[in-house]
Amino acid sequence: NAGVTQTPKFQVLKTGQSMTLQCAQDMNHNSMYWYRQDPGMGLRLIYYSASEGTTDKGEVPNGYNVSRLNKREFSLRLESAAPSQTSVYFCASSSRLAGLTDTQYFGPGTRLTVL
Amino acid sequence: KQEVTQIPAALSVPEGENLVLNCSFTDSAIYNLQWFRQDPGKGLTSLLLIQSSQREQTSGRLNASLDKSSGRSTLYIAASQPGDSATYLCAVKDSNYQLIWGAGTKLIIKP
């Protein structure tokens, strides 16, 4: 089992460029999440998908869009990148959003720099 | 709004010492509290999950406690080893089923 995979691992963009971060999980989990991690701060939720076919905004959704392509895949799109979006992005999955004993499993992260 | 704080931000101790990491949260209406480990350049790995009705959980040399009424959790690491060096993050599952994260404690164990 690969767990949660993310591509790419590193990316440098210029302001205004667009890109899509890909995430896939092979654990048959229902729920998937996108977080960003900035220095000195906790992880912040960008978007999540409680189940296939649904997506919801998290704490910091502005400037991002998501697609739950199928049960395995959840992508994050930056339509017009800004320097404030320089961050490390993590995808995670869990069996159920409301599962009180369910933990989240994380991918290795994408380090994004916007110049 | 739920806020999670971890103090200290960094900690350096000699190998073999027992140590305690602290996590505090402002709203006691949580479903659970989780401790994660993050190694440099890698994702996060779950260490322990304590449900709101529980007081503690143990896994090997790790013991996590939860005092919901005071808004505190501790992660106790016994007989620390250099391999324990990492950043430790705590997170609470709030009333919306979302994880709210602390900024982490960077732990260095000196050989």
Side-chain angles (χ1 to χ4, degrees), chain A residues 91-109:
Chain A
C91 177
S93 70
S94 69
S95 182
R96 296 167 301 156
L97 175 68
L100 302 186
T101 59
D102 295 342
T103 191
Q104 293 185 12
Y105 296 81
F106 283 78

Side-chain angles (χ1 to χ4, degrees), chain A residues 35 37 40-43 45 48 57-59 90 96-104 106-108 111, chain B residues 1 31-32 34 36 38 41-46 49 51 89 93 96-104:
Chain A
Y35 293 95
Q37 184 178 38
M41 300 180 69
L43 276 73
L45 184 65
Y48 66 99
K57 295 178 180 179
E59 181 185 356
F90 288 101
R96 296 167 301 156
L97 175 68
L100 302 186
T101 59
D102 295 342
T103 191
Q104 293 185 12
F106 283 78
R111 187 171 295 273
Chain B
K1 179 185 173 186
Y31 284 112
N32 62 43
Q34 302 179 47
F36 289 81
Q38 184 176 24
K42 297 190 177 180
L44 287 72
T45 302
S46 178
L49 182 153
Q51 296 181 63
L89 298 102
K93 181 168 264 190
N96 295 316
Y97 303 109
Q98 294 182 11
L99 289 183
I100 309 301
W101 296 80

